[in-house]
Amino acid sequence: MCGIVGILGTEPAAWRLVDSLRRLEYRGYDSAGIAIMNNGEVSRMRAKGKLIGLEKKLLGDDLIGNMGIGHTRWATHGAPTEVNAHPHTAGQVTIVHNGIIENFLALKAPFEAAGTQFATQTDTEVVAHMLNRELDKGNTPQQAVATVLPQLEGAFALAIIFKGNDDLMIAARRGSPLAVGHGDGENYIGSDAVALAPFTNRVTYLDDGDWAVLSRTKVSVFDQDNQPVERPITH
């Protein structure tokens, strides 16, 4: 089972993400990666194998930025390679995903027919392209997510960041767990509370079908009908 972490922070995020991912190693994985936002631009670093490979890369080329997402992947669609490792990017969208998009081939077909070149063999990459297509139509990131989620079949937990948006992260879950961590001037997401333990003891567990819009100072949660809802903060 893949692991997801996300940080909207006030301190450098790269090594914090790696530390959080290490707490999810019990889930098993065959590759790992992070994406960091800095001044609206996203940089990715991915490695096949255990986290030590990603750490060695970071030592040689540290990523600068206080916001990012991270992922440990257990290969399903696509071989366990660095290319197939998350995060994935399409245009303005960078995404990590736990779960399986069962209808990804049907969703992918129109893009391929239009000449879109896919960089990976994963089911996840098509979600990034779908979101980016909505942005290209002039929709906001929130509108894009609200449009795309109902089209996905299967189980998923998603964490998404958007080029040019240094204070926005969107998370969504259906069938796969995902929690939001509440900090002081920072907010976080993780596959479970263990991943968030270094940062906060205040956690909101998203209900099935929920999606959440995070900034550093606010968390807004919506249900599967895109209606705003309140979910409790637990300690």
Side-chain angles (χ1 to χ4, degrees):
M1 185 184 295
C2 305
I4 287 174
V5 295
I7 296 174
L8 274 161
T10 58
E11 303 174 12
W15 287 101
R16 300 175 82 190
L17 288 168
V18 171
D19 179 52
S20 191
L21 288 174
R22 190 168 297 287
R23 293 171 178 266
L24 297 173
E25 284 189 300
Y26 71 88
R27 289 169 165 249
Y29 66 101
D30 48 44
S31 62
I34 61 174
I36 300 295
M37 177 87 73
N38 186 37
N39 292 324
E41 296 294 329
V42 177
S43 298
R44 290 183 296 163
M45 187 170 290
R46 300 174 293 169
K48 180 181 176 181
K50 298 303 181 183
L51 277 170
I52 187 66
L54 183 63
E55 291 174 334
K56 288 179 178 178
K57 283 193 169 187
L58 273 175
L59 288 171
D61 185 16
D62 202 4
L63 299 182
I64 299 172
N66 297 339
M67 167 188 174
I69 52 178
H71 189 267
T72 49
R73 177 179 187 246
W74 189 256
T76 51
H77 294 103
T81 63
E82 182 175 325
V83 170
N84 287 328
H86 299 215
H88 295 307
T89 293
Q92 304 172 64
V93 177
T94 300
I95 188 170
V96 292
H97 166 220
N98 173 27
I100 296 176
I101 306 300
E102 295 175 355
N103 62 333
F104 86 100
L105 289 176
L107 296 171
K108 188 176 183 179
F111 288 96
E112 292 182 317
T116 299
Q117 297 294 314
F118 283 78
T120 78
Q121 301 167 304
T122 69
D123 53 337
T124 307
E125 189 184 358
V126 71
V127 182
H129 281 280
M130 293 172 71
L131 290 166
N132 190 65
R133 178 175 60 189
E134 295 302 318
L135 296 178
D136 285 344
K137 293 178 181 178
N139 289 317
T140 67
Q142 292 92 325
Q143 290 169 332
V145 170
T147 299
V148 168
L149 290 182
Q151 301 178 56
L152 307 180
E153 298 176 5
F156 56 79
L158 304 171
I160 314 157
I161 57 177
F162 302 86
K163 183 179 179 180
N165 288 272
D166 289 276
D167 196 30
L168 173 67
M169 186 178 297
I170 297 182
R173 65 152 300 207
R174 185 195 303 157
S176 297
L178 201 61
V180 175
H182 304 266
D184 296 321
E186 298 189 336
N187 284 311
Y188 323 92
I189 59 171
S191 293
D192 61 34
V194 172
L196 305 177
F199 314 129
T200 184
N201 66 349
R202 295 183 290 146
V203 176
T204 294
Y205 295 96
L206 298 179
D207 284 3
D208 202 47
D210 282 353
W211 58 283
V213 179
L214 289 77
S215 70
R216 287 173 174 82
T217 58
K218 184 179 180 180
V219 176
S220 301
V221 181
F222 302 86
D223 65 16
Q224 61 186 354
D225 297 317
N226 299 326
Q227 297 302 307
V229 292
E230 297 290 335
R231 302 296 184 216
I233 297 176
T234 61
H235 291 262

